Amino acid sequence: MQTTERKVEIKPINCSHYIGGKYVESKSGKTFKNINPATEEVLGVVAEGGREDVNEAVEVARTALKGEWGNMPVRKRSAIIRKIGDLILERKQELATLETLDTGKPIWLSNSVDIERAAYNFHFFADYMTTVGNESYQQDDIAIHYSVRRPVGVVGLINPWNLPLLLMTWKLAPALAAGNTVVMKPSEVTPMTATVLAQICTDAGVPDGVVNMVHGFGETGAALTSHDDVDAIAFTGETVTGSAIMKSAAPTLKKLSFELGGKNPNIIFADANLDDVIDTTLRSSFINQGEVCLCGSRIYVERAIYDEFLERFVAKTKELKVGDPFAEDTKVGALVSEEHYNKVLSYLDIAKEEGGTFLTGGRKADMEKGFYVEPTIITGLGRDSRCVREEIFGPVVTVLPFDTEEEVMEQVNDTHYGLSASLWTSDVKRAARLSAQIEAGMVWVNTWFLRDLRTPFGGAKRSGIGREGGAHSFDFYSEITNVTLKL
Ligand code: NAD
Ligand code: 6OD
């Protein structure tokens, strides 16, 4: 049982929509409750947006598009975007507290990763936007061809609950940098930090109407994706939701960017540095309660080191402290919601039915309240097991031995997902050979989740469409007109 004293004063907020630079309630007056997953207490109420609220937000965003934002000199817009990052850092403790209250993730993680990175997303794109040029070609003495970038228009940003501020800002920063106006739809489960972010944008000097937000469930998101006057949708979430969005956006042929689910392999060869493997695999399995799309939840270990790996991995996993997200020594906090907790627990039942062996966990954590699951390592499952094939998105990993490169590669690619992979080996030729064969958008060799925001981020197969990061984000949020000037 967790006993460490709370250090942070807790100030949850009610969440209203943000339209035209003001917080507003739903036209219907509807609200829903926001629950703290660590305690099951009510944090506050959230406005539940309907089609009419989305319509208003889109109309306001459309009007703002004709205002100064898109035509502002790049240096001025860049300074405003930088300021948003600065204000996020100034309000770091408040934002980190809200993020932990909403998600159940450890406070040190909110502080050191989520909020820092949210600020950096703005700092990065504030710099990046000043370097973006246009192609131009002189065709002998016949013509000059050059391209002109302009904003795509009104963009809907729809996000999940696992890294709420980090992911919203990962879309908002480049969307603003490219001069668009936006309507954000945060996850219904984690609405608080986006609510503060909207005001921060105004405080930084973003003109009213450029950044808007409507809270709500899937139907609210669907009102945005099907809207006739929304030009593009940037979505992060489940693969099945991506598919529904594609259908609803089809009649209006919106530009779509999708960052979807994954079931990522972590492939460990016997020649890898096992100390590094264990440290990183602990993170890639259980950080953020395993609620990271990139988590390496399918672990494949070469048979020569299978027993040693398991012995050391199990010992380290047992040391992970599960409990109060506000305790500094907590490594695994609460899962985000009761619904998600029940989903993860149902996979533990499936693993039992499938004949899996639990080397750790396999059950709820010993807490009086809240949605806690112990970090779980499962062996003995076949490659067709549902726990090996389906995204669980919790602190649950499966470990399977392999004998040959061919055998493991065949299993690695035997999935509709293709988000990321980790590959551990000291053989450089093997690293190059296998990373080229892995059907995934991102492959980390001898590391995991090492990011450089200039690089393309995104999934292959049913894990996404398009890439985000640096030029890739900028291209998505820009429309390009080619001009040919006859000489
Ligand atoms: P989700 O798809 O259920 O919801 C995501 C967002 O979409 C929410 O805001 C939700 O309200 C909205 N939504 C739901 N139905 C909708 C519809 N029909 N039309 C429009 N919007 C709709 O996902 P989740 O459970 O919040 O998040 C977990 C999932 O997100 C996992 O699959 C995870 O892998 C994925 N994820 C992917 C990445 C990535 O970069 N690839 C990053 C984080 C999370
Ligand atoms: O680091 C990022 O840019 C990013 N999009 C991370 C996504 C993590 C998924 O849960």
Side-chain angles (χ1 to χ4, degrees), residues 292-413:
V292 178
C293 58
L294 307 162
C295 275
S297 53
R298 286 190 286 153
I299 304 176
Y300 298 97
V301 186
E302 194 167 7
R303 200 175 300 275
I305 57 159
Y306 184 70
D307 290 340
E308 185 186 357
F309 168 83
L310 277 180
E311 192 184 323
R312 292 179 60 182
F313 183 45
V314 166
K316 284 281 186 193
T317 300
K318 284 183 175 165
E319 287 171 13
L320 295 176
K321 178 152 184 169
V322 183
D324 179 357
F326 283 95
E328 290 296 337
D329 55 350
T330 289
K331 291 288 185 284
V332 179
L335 297 190
V336 76
S337 67
E338 185 168 19
E339 188 186 346
H340 186 58
Y341 171 69
N342 287 331
K343 176 183 158 186
V344 172
L345 291 177
S346 77
Y347 273 102
L348 300 182
D349 291 339
I350 291 169
K352 277 175 211 146
E353 284 160 22
E354 289 178 330
T357 303
F358 294 98
L359 300 189
T360 63
R363 56 178 174 253
K364 306 169 182 180
D366 181 21
M367 300 288 288
E368 264 168 28
K369 287 274 186 188
F371 311 126
Y372 299 87
V373 172
E374 286 190 3
T376 298
I377 302 172
I378 311 173
T379 56
L381 292 174
R383 57 183 285 183
D384 291 327
S385 144
R386 286 185 59 194
C387 292
V388 173
R389 300 189 72 82
E390 296 176 17
E391 185 183 42
I392 301 174
F393 216 54
V396 181
V397 295
T398 59
V399 190
L400 278 79
F402 69 87
D403 292 300
T404 65
E405 252 182 53
E406 294 69 30
E407 174 202 346
V408 74
M409 289 306 293
E410 206 260 310
Q411 292 185 61
V412 160
N413 287 332

Side-chain angles (χ1 to χ4, degrees), residues 10-28:
I10 300 167
K11 286 191 238 153
I13 57 169
N14 291 326
C15 298
S16 309
H17 312 308
Y18 198 78
I19 301 179
K22 288 196 299 283
Y23 287 113
V24 293
E25 300 311 318
S26 292
K27 292 187 190 305
S28 67

Side-chain angles (χ1 to χ4, degrees), residues 209-249:
V210 170
V211 173
N212 306 281
M213 180 182 53
V214 182
H215 290 289
F217 297 87
E219 303 85 73
T220 314
L224 199 53
T225 59
S226 61
H227 201 291
D228 200 35
D229 211 18
V230 171
D231 301 289
I233 295 287
F235 169 74
T236 298
E238 288 196 43
T239 294
V240 62
T241 313
S243 172
I245 290 177
M246 202 172 218
K247 273 191 211 129
S248 89

Side-chain angles (χ1 to χ4, degrees), residues 265 267 412 419-424 431-432 434-450 456 458:
I267 312 148
V412 160
L419 189 55
S420 70
S422 283
L423 177 61
W424 293 89
L434 297 194
S435 27
Q437 288 172 26
I438 295 172
E439 296 165 358
M442 294 161 283
V443 178
W444 282 285
V445 180
N446 296 330
T447 185
W448 177 71
F449 205 171
L450 185 59

